Amino acid sequence: ANAYVALAEAAGPELEGAGRLAWVRRLARDQENLHAAFDWLVGQGETELSCRLVGALTWFWYPQGKVHEGREWAERALGVARAPERSSARAKALFTAGQLAFNLGEESLARRRLEASASLFQELGDDVGLARVRVHLGLVVVQDEPFAARALDEEALAVLRRLGDTPWTALALLCSGRRAALSDDTTSAQDGFMGSLALYRALGDAQMAAEVLNALGDLARTTGDDDRAAALYSESLKLLRQLGGGSGLPGLLQNLGHVARRRGEHRRSLDCFSEALALFRAHGDRRGVAECLGGVATVALAVGQFERAARLLGAMAAFLEAGEIVAVPAIAREQARHAATARARLGAGKFAAAWAAGRAMSINRARAE
């Protein structure tokens, strides 16, 4: 177990940079041994070592599309101690749990874990750890506390720039751009994304450059520039396909599905949503599954299948509620408009019946639909 904790801690910094995929492959070859070591540590009540292992593997899960598994490891490690230790290892494990929960759309859990991590890093006097947590915490709190979120962004960026930490500065700019986009501040979002993209390209980090291109595509789509959005998404998709996919691929396919639908390319749209739905389900991403169902509903509306659209919108709403997931405001507004369109075409009674049938669907039935 000590040997595999040491291996993970040697890999940890490398997983944050452009060489992460080589280290992901290296660790994947020993994944059964990592599992065995982790299971033994948890079984023996080894709080410090289990948290050290989890904290070192924060960035191992995303490139493989195994975010759900990583979040489960983090939660198991945090549950080992009867009286939680106030250690750097626990602060890092809390960060891992929060960051992965956020990627799965579990905002409530993400906020609890990230706030606990920030509090512990602050207590320990670890300015670097605190800045890194704040990079992600700003995204989690932006819906409820936009001004606090902006302050968290600015504080984190100031520390990371002062330290000359280029990879984390690039990530902070990406997260800052996403936070600004959620606040409908497109100018600040564009500035953050372009600054992040320049740094990732200078670092030779193709995977993260693809993430930023996807974010720029989202921004173009929200401002109605579908041609630019399609070009940015396609450039991002090319990079991700070359790298073997990863957790970013289904979200990108979902975005391409929306653009194709808006351009009247309904078959391509459905192909994108179908592939994205299968990947989201395999990754355990409930938000992604629900939002893909909503995407297919928009295609159903476009081709005049109003009852099917209402059923899928009902299923989307039920899956979000079951996972206690709050929809991104832009998507929530869009789906409300689509529901209103379906209601107007069907009439209140037929719409209510179709919506209720959708809410009662299992994931298998919804996917078949």
Side-chain angles (χ1 to χ4, degrees):
N2 274 307
Y4 283 99
V5 171
L7 174 64
E9 290 183 330
E14 304 296 333
L15 291 169
E16 296 173 7
R20 74 175 58 79
L21 292 181
W23 275 92
V24 167
R25 288 190 289 269
R26 166 68 185 87
L27 292 172
R29 289 198 298 270
D30 261 321
Q31 194 148 341
E32 288 187 14
N33 289 324
L34 286 165
H35 270 279
F38 181 68
D39 286 344
W40 186 85
L41 288 168
V42 170
Q44 295 296 313
E46 288 282 356
T47 305
E48 180 76 7
L49 286 172
S50 59
C51 284
R52 280 171 56 189
L53 182 59
V54 162
L57 294 177
T58 306
W59 307 104
F60 172 59
W61 308 103
Y62 189 80
Q64 299 184 93
K66 295 183 177 180
V67 174
H68 192 272
E69 183 178 354
R71 198 261 290 140
E72 288 184 343
W73 277 40
E75 289 299 319
R76 285 181 66 199
L78 292 170
V80 170
R82 293 178 182 173
E85 298 178 6
R86 311 299 289 172
S87 67
S88 177
R90 184 171 180 82
K92 290 176 182 177
L94 284 163
F95 170 74
T96 300
Q99 193 261 357
L100 296 176
F102 179 73
N103 281 332
L104 291 171
E106 299 168 351
E107 282 94 345
S108 178
L109 176 63
R111 180 165 187 167
R112 292 198 305 274
R113 296 294 183 250
L114 290 173
E115 286 181 339
S117 178
S119 176
L120 188 46
F121 274 128
Q122 190 164 35
E123 179 184 318
L124 296 168
D126 186 337
D127 292 340
V128 176
L130 180 58
R132 291 180 172 188
V133 176
R134 283 173 169 167
V135 166
H136 290 82
L137 193 52
L139 275 174
V140 175
V141 305
V142 64
Q143 301 301 332
D144 299 324
E145 303 168 45
F147 295 110
R150 182 169 184 169
L152 288 165
D153 280 350
E154 292 171 351
E155 290 164 5
L157 268 169
V159 171
L160 296 168
R161 281 174 165 154
R162 187 179 74 244
L163 296 171
D165 190 337
T166 304
W168 271 88
T169 298
L171 180 60
L173 286 167
L174 171 58
C175 291
S176 178
R178 285 176 169 158
R179 188 268 311 157
L182 288 169
S183 300
D184 297 323
D185 183 355
T186 56
T187 300
S188 296
Q190 179 79 10
D191 290 345
F193 293 149
M194 293 306 294
S196 178
L197 183 61
L199 289 179
Y200 279 129
R201 282 177 167 163
L203 291 165
D205 193 334
Q207 183 187 9
M208 292 307 298
E211 292 281 336
V212 184
L213 289 166
N214 187 20
L216 282 164
D218 288 344
L219 195 62
R221 181 157 62 94
T222 59
T223 57
D225 191 345
D226 286 347
D227 289 341
R228 175 168 165 75
L232 288 162
Y233 289 149
S234 296
E235 186 179 354
S236 179
L237 180 63
K238 183 179 178 180
L239 286 174
L240 286 181
R241 295 284 197 202
Q242 289 171 349
L243 295 168
S247 291
L249 183 59
L252 181 55
L253 288 164
Q254 179 181 320
N255 291 336
L256 281 165
H258 283 295
V259 170
R261 187 261 309 165
R262 279 163 51 156
R263 298 168 101 184
E265 301 167 358
H266 299 138
R267 172 55 57 191
R268 172 165 168 71
S269 179
L270 286 172
D271 287 344
C272 289
F273 285 130
S274 180
E275 185 180 356
L277 179 58
L279 290 170
F280 275 132
R281 192 177 179 200
H283 296 174
D285 189 331
R286 289 176 290 183
R287 180 204 291 279
V289 168
E291 290 181 353
C292 270
L293 293 174
V296 176
T298 67
V299 183
L301 280 177
V303 298
Q305 296 189 22
F306 304 114
E307 285 192 50
R308 187 188 304 277
R311 286 195 296 272
L312 289 169
L313 289 169
M316 175 187 178
F319 292 150
L320 288 173
E321 289 172 18
E324 297 183 345
I325 297 166
V326 179
V328 173
I331 291 176
R333 290 193 295 268
E334 188 174 73
Q335 297 309 314
R337 288 197 300 272
H338 294 313
T341 300
R343 185 183 294 108
R345 298 302 295 263
L346 291 170
K350 281 189 176 180
F351 174 82
W355 178 274
R359 288 186 61 86
M361 284 181 180
S362 66
I363 181 57
N364 288 333
R365 180 69 190 87
R367 189 175 178 192
E369 178 89 10

